[in-house]
Amino acid sequence: HVQLVESGGGSVMAGGSLRLSCVASGTPNCMGWFRQAPGKEREGVARINSDSSTMYADSVKDRFTISKDVDKNILYLEMSNLKSDDTGIYYCAAAYLKYCYLLPNTYGFWGQGTQVTVS
């Protein structure tokens, strides 16, 4: 069982930056960030595997960076050049899989979410 606690959300003007953090109680193989805008389905943003390979949604490539502090079990999402379309609740997720993608239903552990608002 993994507990995930996100922080770092907030309100920012378009073009601004934010950094999200997620503290994990365990060491899952896969960790990712997902987001959900009002009235829309949850979508994958970025994920990192235990081999440090990363994957990004096309909409955030070159603007967002996912990373993980292995010693502290903290997952990060650095977001820059934020756009209004980035607004939503951002969730940290984890899975004990050999390899994972940006598919929400493959992750078994979720944080409570943190709100990001870009105006």
Side-chain angles (χ1 to χ4, degrees), residues 28 32 46 48 52:
I48 186 167
S52 298

Side-chain angles (χ1 to χ4, degrees), residues 15-100:
S17 300
L18 281 174
R19 186 178 80 161
L20 305 183
S21 300
C22 172
V23 179
S25 63
T27 54
N29 302 74
C30 305
M31 295 192 73
W33 289 99
F34 294 78
R35 67 186 180 188
Q36 188 165 18
K40 294 187 177 180
E41 293 186 354
R42 191 170 299 188
E43 63 175 358
V45 175
R47 72 98 178 100
I48 186 167
N49 280 335
S50 56
D51 62 0
S52 298
S53 62
T54 58
M55 178 181 289
Y56 295 91
D58 288 342
S59 59
V60 306
K61 280 181 181 177
D62 300 324
R63 298 190 300 121
F64 290 12
T65 301
I66 188 171
S67 63
K68 184 178 178 182
D69 185 325
V70 177
D71 293 334
K72 297 180 180 179
N73 286 339
I74 301 177
L75 182 72
Y76 297 103
L77 185 68
E78 297 274 2
M79 305 184 292
S80 62
N81 192 20
L82 283 160
K83 305 175 182 180
S84 58
D85 287 346
D86 296 318
T87 294
I89 300 175
Y90 282 68
Y91 297 91
C92 173
Y96 286 95
L97 298 171
K98 190 172 184 179
Y99 197 82
C100 54

Side-chain angles (χ1 to χ4, degrees), residues 103-116:
L103 301 173
N105 60 3
T106 62
Y107 291 76
F109 305 97
W110 293 84
Q112 81 287 351
T114 185
Q115 177 71 45
V116 171

